[in-house]
Amino acid sequence: MARVTPTPLPAEVPFPDGSLTAQELVRYSRHIGLSEVGEDGQRRLKRASVLIVGAGGLGSPAALYLAAAGVGQIGIADFDTVDPTNLQRQLLHDTANVGQRKTDSARARLGAVNPLVRVETIDEELSAANALDIIAGYDVIIDGTDNFKTRYLTNDACVLLGKPNVYGSVLRFEGQASLFATPDGPCYRCLFPEPPPPGLVPSCAEAGVLGVLPGLIGTIQATEAIKVILGIGETLAGRLLLVDALAMTFRTIRLRRDPGCPACGTREIQSLIDYDELCAPHATVPGQLAASVHEITPRDLAERVRRGDPIDLIDVREPYEWRMARIDGARLIPLGQFEGAVAEIPPDRDVVLYCHHGFRSRTAAEFLVERGFRRVWNLTGGIDRWSADVDPTVATY
Ligand SMILES: [Zn+2]
């Protein structure tokens, strides 16, 4: 069972009977003045519980707005610590929180925003073993995850338990949101029946994300959660909202429940499974690689370098990444310039390509193989794993 740590409630706040104190009537007066909310609606919010899976870019604005709105019980599930690269968009966490557990900084920040709500933290990775237990304790779930494993797990658990799942995702300048697993609506699997193969879809760490974009989408998720709790308006159930921040367009497309969906259609998914093998971001699946692209682990590469093997070590990341961290002896050819630089790569030498996590370099490796190179290796896990397994003085980001 998950470790759940609730914040102690101030003694003067009655909970969870839902009646509003004088202090709350003042605090929420701009809600109560809305006829669609009113005192009844504010009491509903106070009695409601929302679980936010992931205290990251999406979870930050969602949690801040739900706390400010007076949602009585807010669960934050995250097992990560605050990293300097988080601060560009994850507003739950301050510079001073770097290195701390995200659940700790989230609890402190939400407590400062609204001490009248109860914050529960779950410092554990959502898994097939604990997801049903955790999710069962909440009325509405906000999916603020950044990986397919947790997204499918959250979806399947919400469908099994009949919990509304407020979905959001962001990458680069684009975002999506919807409401899944409502009684008649589709679920995430209706849209994407199976997780994509590893490496096919880049992560935000690989492809980047404009910092305000999770702010936009996470705020939309909070809006949808509040509408579900209050039973007002038209939710995104059966619609997928597509946001393009560069064009600044918001459009929605219709989604239908797929009768063949294994989760909400045929209901063949009766219990949760872990998707580690399918979705591990650093996994390598040799069968899916071009036949002549070999993988080499950082430890094996370090051993070859130590032996003095002549290796052309090529970094295909961007120049700003090269400035942050690099592997000794490498040279930089950013992926975008790779095609034009092939003539500079001697075909008779062993070539090892690397990037941040091993996805971009695999593309470059396949490109070389297609052009007749036969001695090409991709560094599994990229410089990130090199730092973890070989040289911790190489900065991670
Ligand atoms: Zn479905």
Side-chain angles (χ1 to χ4, degrees):
M1 185 54 206
R3 283 169 289 135
V4 178
T5 325
T7 42
L9 280 170
E12 71 274 16
V13 180
F15 188 89
D17 76 349
S19 57
L20 300 176
T21 63
Q23 185 189 5
E24 288 171 320
L25 290 170
V26 172
R27 177 182 274 263
Y28 305 123
S29 58
R30 298 298 185 275
H31 267 169
I32 293 167
L34 294 167
S35 60
E36 292 84 351
V37 182
E39 211 177 318
D40 275 354
Q42 194 62 46
R43 279 201 294 266
R44 270 174 177 256
L45 290 170
K46 182 174 177 178
R47 283 195 303 266
S49 58
V50 177
L51 174 68
I52 298 170
V53 183
L58 296 167
S60 286
L64 289 165
Y65 273 110
L66 292 179
V71 169
Q73 188 178 337
I74 297 174
I76 305 279
D78 204 303
F79 63 103
D80 213 353
T81 52
V82 180
D83 181 276
T85 64
N86 300 150
L87 302 173
Q88 163 250 24
R89 64 200 178 284
Q90 301 184 11
L91 301 187
L92 272 176
H93 317 296
D94 294 334
T95 309
N97 300 130
V98 168
Q100 296 174 6
R101 289 192 302 193
K102 285 189 175 178
T103 46
D104 289 343
S105 53
R107 169 197 299 282
R109 182 89 182 89
L110 296 176
V113 168
N114 189 350
L116 305 183
V117 302
R118 183 204 297 253
V119 178
E120 294 176 334
T121 54
I122 298 130
D123 298 301
E124 226 174 287
E125 184 174 18
L126 218 61
S127 71
N130 65 18
L132 289 173
D133 274 345
I134 293 170
I135 287 174
Y138 294 87
D139 301 324
V140 179
I141 313 305
I142 289 189
D143 175 2
T145 59
D146 60 356
N147 65 81
F148 288 103
K149 174 190 167 185
T150 317
R151 187 166 293 149
Y152 279 88
L153 196 63
T154 303
N155 179 74
D156 294 352
C158 285
V159 172
L160 285 170
L161 294 166
K163 304 280 184 183
N165 174 19
V166 190
Y167 158 76
S169 76
V170 290
L171 191 68
R172 290 177 47 78
F173 298 94
E174 293 173 16
Q176 303 181 347
S178 190
L179 174 63
F180 291 130
T182 56
D184 304 313
C187 79
Y188 183 70
R189 276 190 191 273
C190 294
L191 191 57
F192 303 110
E194 292 292 335
L200 194 69
V201 179
S203 66
C204 286
E206 284 288 319
V209 61
L210 189 71
V212 295
L213 204 53
L216 273 172
I217 299 293
T219 304
I220 287 166
Q221 289 177 282
T223 311
E224 290 296 292
I226 288 172
K227 284 160 60 188
V228 167
I229 292 165
L230 295 177
I232 60 171
E234 189 187 347
T235 69
L236 283 173
R239 291 184 296 156
L240 180 68
L241 174 70
L242 301 168
V243 176
D244 179 338
L246 282 183
M248 201 46 91
T249 55
F250 288 66
R251 53 196 189 93
T252 53
I253 56 173
R254 283 270 151 212
L255 295 180
R256 285 213 187 80
R257 174 177 276 182
D258 175 4
C261 169
C264 73
T266 64
R267 303 243 163 210
E268 63 203 70
I269 294 178
Q270 286 290 320
S271 59
L272 298 179
I273 46 167
D274 275 322
Y275 303 98
D276 280 322
E277 321 75 49
L278 285 170
C279 304
H282 305 280
T284 55
V285 183
Q288 293 178 343
L289 299 178
S292 304
V293 174
H294 314 289
E295 291 279 322
I296 185 168
T297 66
R299 285 204 179 94
D300 289 344
L301 175 61
E303 175 57 23
R304 289 199 61 185
V305 170
R306 197 190 58 76
R307 285 201 307 255
D309 287 359
I311 289 171
D312 193 0
L313 182 59
I314 300 175
D315 184 328
V316 302
R317 298 173 304 152
E318 298 302 311
Y320 79 91
E321 297 176 277
W322 172 261
R323 287 200 299 276
M324 287 190 285
R326 69 188 75 160
I327 298 177
D328 279 344
R331 62 194 178 114
L332 179 69
I333 307 178
L335 190 60
Q337 296 160 28
F338 203 77
E339 193 170 350
V342 168
E344 301 164 21
I345 303 173
D348 54 342
R349 276 183 78 183
D350 290 356
V351 179
V352 176
L353 298 144
Y354 76 89
C355 62
H356 192 192
H357 289 126
F359 300 135
R360 282 173 286 174
S361 52
R362 191 184 298 163
T363 304
E366 287 171 1
F367 181 84
L368 286 183
V369 168
E370 282 163 16
R371 271 144 198 85
F373 286 76
R374 285 291 165 263
R375 306 184 61 77
V376 180
W377 281 262
N378 180 43
L379 183 65
T380 305
I383 194 170
D384 201 56
R385 192 158 146 197
W386 175 271
S387 177
D389 290 356
V390 173
D391 184 0
T393 67
V394 171
T396 56
Y397 59 98

